[in-house]
Amino acid sequence: MRGWLRETAGGLPKTFWYLWCGTLVNRLGGFVLIFLTVYLTKERGFSDIQAGLVVGLWSAGGGVGTMVGGVLADRWGRRPTLLLAHVGGASMMLLLGFSRPFAMIAGVAFALGTFAEAARPAFAAMMVDVVPDRDRVRAFSLNYWAINLGFASSAIVGGFAAHLDYLLLFVLDASATLLTAAIVLTKIRETRPTGEHLGVPGAGGGLRVVLRDRVFVVFTLVNLLAAMVFLQHVSMLPIAMTDDGLSSSTFGWVIALNGVLIVLGQLFVPKLIAGHSRTRVLAIGAIVQGVGFGLTALAGSAWLYAMTVLVWTLGEMVYSPSNAATIADLAPASVRGRYQGVFALSWSIAGFTAPVLGGFVRDQLGNTALWVGCALIGCLAAAITLGAGPSRDRRAAEVARATREARDAVTPAPPGVMSDTLAPTSAAS
C-alpha cells in the first residue's frame, strides 16, 4: 500500500497540493450548476428552453472569461488572475441567488460564467508550470479525483439543501469560492515562466499564435464534440429524470455515482493506461462515454439511470486525464495560459450549445433521438482523434524540443543532465 501511494501521489511539488486543495474546496461547494435547470424549471417556473438558455448564457460568458483569463494568465500572472476570478465569481453567485426576473437571471448567469471560467486557464497553466511532464498524467488524475470527490459530495448534499431552500445552494457555493481564493492568496506564489518568448517564436502575438496551430485547433474541436455529449448530464439528464417521476434528491444520488466511481477508481487509471498510446486511450474514452449516454434512451428508473452513469463514467475516467496531459504537451511554455484559454473555450461553447441543442432536439425529436445522437457524436470524436494522432504526436515532440533548447540557452544544463520538466514526451505515453 505504501508503494502504491508513493507511485500515485509521491514526489509532486507543494504548490500542486495547494492547487489540489483549492480544487477540492471549490468543488465541494459546487452545488448550483448541478441543480440549476431543476431550480429554474421547478422552482421559478421557466420552460425547458429558457432553462437551457440560462445555462447556455453561463457558458457563453465562460467563453469570454476563458479568452480573457488565458491572456491575463500569461501577461498579468496566474495568481492575480485566479484571485480576481474567484472573488468576482463569488459575488455573481450570490447575486444570481437573489435574482428573480428572467432577464436579470440570464444577465447575471453570463457574468458569473465570465468570472468562473477566467480561472480555468490560469489554474491549468499553473499546474503545468510546477509539475514535470513525466508526472502530468498522474497529477491530472489526482486533480480529477479531487474534482469528483467534491462533485459527489456536493451532489448529495445539494439534493438535500434544495429541499430546505434553494438560496442555500447559492450561499454555500459562493462561500466555497471565497475559501479557494483565500488558499490562493495565502499559500500560492506566482509560477509564470520567465525568459523572453520561451519555447515559441512570436509569442507576443496574442491569441493568434494559438489559432495558427492547426494541430491544436483540431484537438480542441474534437474536445468540443466530446464535451457536448458529456455536459448533457447537467442539462438534459436532470430534466429527463424528473419527467420520469424521479425527485431532485434521487437525481442527486444517481449523478453522485459518477463522482463516487471516480473517487474509487481514478487513482488506478495512470497505471492502467501506462504504456498505451494516448491517441487510442482518448478514442476509447470518447466511444465509451458516448455509448453510456446513448444507453440513457433505454432508462426509466433510478437504477437504470445509475447503470448508464456507470458506463459513461468509465469513459470519462480514461479520457479526461489523458486529454489534460495532451494539452500540456502541445502548449509552449510562454503561452500556456492562452492555449489553456482557447481549449477551455471549447467547454464554454459546449456549455452553451449542449443545453440549447439538447433542449431543442428533445422538444422536437424526442428523448430517444437526443441520447442516440450523443452516442453517434462520441464515435465521431473517436474517429477524428485516431486520424489526427500522428500529427499530434509530432507536434508534442517539437514543442518539447523547442522548450528544452530555449531553456538551455538561458541556463545551460551541466553535461549529461536534462531537466525533468523538459524531457521529451513519448508519443505512446
Side-chain angles (χ1 to χ4, degrees):
M1 179 62 71
R2 284 195 298 269
W4 173 77
L5 286 173
R6 281 195 299 270
E7 289 183 9
T8 303
L12 294 170
K14 183 166 62 175
T15 299
F16 165 79
W17 289 111
Y18 287 133
L19 291 168
W20 185 90
C21 289
T23 296
L24 180 59
V25 169
N26 206 11
R27 295 294 176 157
L28 282 170
F31 305 115
V32 170
L33 188 56
I34 300 174
F35 294 95
L36 185 57
T37 55
V38 176
Y39 165 73
L40 292 172
T41 55
K42 306 306 178 184
E43 182 76 6
R44 294 292 161 220
F46 297 120
S47 68
D48 290 357
I49 293 178
Q50 285 177 308
L53 180 61
V54 170
V55 176
L57 285 170
W58 182 322
S59 297
V64 176
T66 57
M67 296 293 95
V68 174
V71 173
L72 287 178
D74 286 335
R75 293 184 176 176
W76 190 22
R78 289 37 163 152
R79 187 170 177 267
T81 302
L82 286 173
L83 291 172
L84 174 64
H86 282 96
V87 173
S91 302
M92 292 300 102
M93 183 65 71
L94 287 174
L95 183 57
L96 181 62
F98 287 101
S99 299
R100 293 296 178 267
F102 178 77
M104 184 176 182
I105 290 174
V108 174
F110 181 88
L112 175 58
T114 301
F115 280 108
E117 292 303 309
R120 188 193 291 261
F123 179 90
M126 182 173 278
M127 187 173 292
V128 176
D129 291 342
V130 301
V131 177
D133 61 354
R134 68 167 185 265
D135 292 327
R136 282 175 186 158
V137 171
R138 186 161 60 99
F140 281 115
S141 291
L142 286 166
N143 189 65
Y144 205 65
W145 184 83
I147 288 172
N148 285 277
L149 176 61
F151 176 78
S153 302
S154 65
I156 295 171
V157 175
F160 288 106
H163 273 299
L164 298 176
D165 188 347
Y166 273 102
L167 180 60
L168 186 60
L169 298 179
F170 296 90
V171 173
L172 293 175
D173 203 326
S175 299
T177 303
L178 288 175
L179 183 55
T180 303
I183 293 173
V184 174
L185 179 65
T186 59
K187 297 296 185 181
I188 297 177
R189 296 181 179 179
E190 181 58 59
T191 65
R192 182 177 51 170
T194 58
E196 183 77 7
H197 304 330
L198 181 58
V200 60
L207 294 173
R208 287 175 296 173
V209 68
V210 185
L211 299 178
R212 287 197 300 262
D213 188 340
R214 294 182 181 179
V215 172
F216 186 78
V217 169
V218 170
F219 177 72
T220 302
L221 291 175
V222 171
N223 186 73
L224 171 61
L225 294 175
M228 286 177 61
V229 173
F230 177 72
L231 290 178
Q232 296 302 326
H233 82 283
V234 292
S235 55
M236 293 301 107
L237 182 59
I239 294 175
M241 290 184 65
T242 53
D243 283 351
D244 281 331
L246 302 173
S247 67
S248 59
S249 59
T250 301
F251 168 70
W253 281 104
V254 169
I255 203 64
L257 178 63
N258 168 256
V260 171
L261 289 170
I262 292 176
V263 168
L264 294 176
Q266 189 67 47
L267 298 183
F268 299 95
V269 168
K271 180 168 285 189
L272 176 67
I273 64 178
H276 294 282
S277 164
R278 191 172 290 168
T279 294
R280 288 196 293 271
V281 170
L282 289 170
I284 291 171
I287 290 173
V288 175
Q289 187 172 271
V291 169
F293 277 97
L295 291 173
T296 308
L298 305 176
S301 62
W303 74 269
L304 283 175
Y305 278 111
M307 292 301 296
T308 67
V309 171
L310 170 64
V311 175
W312 58 257
T313 296
L314 294 176
E316 179 192 358
M317 287 169 66
V318 298
Y319 182 85
S320 294
S322 298
N323 204 37
T326 302
I327 306 166
D329 291 343
L330 297 175
S334 62
V335 286
R336 279 175 183 154
R338 275 165 274 192
Y339 267 71
Q340 294 288 348
V342 171
F343 183 81
L345 179 62
S346 67
W347 282 98
S348 298
I349 294 174
F352 179 82
T353 55
V356 173
L357 290 179
F360 177 81
V361 171
R362 198 167 180 275
D363 281 346
Q364 300 298 316
L365 302 177
N367 192 60
T368 299
L370 170 63
W371 303 117
V372 171
C374 287
L376 295 176
I377 292 174
C379 292
L380 175 62
I384 299 174
T385 295
L386 290 172
S391 60
R392 195 165 51 245
D393 292 339
R394 288 193 297 269
R395 173 63 177 163
E398 290 171 3
V399 170
R401 183 172 58 252
T403 304
R404 182 173 62 254
E405 291 172 354
R407 181 71 61 82
D408 289 346
V410 176
T411 308
V417 175
M418 179 180 292
S419 169
D420 287 338
T421 61
L422 300 174
T425 302
S426 168
S429 62

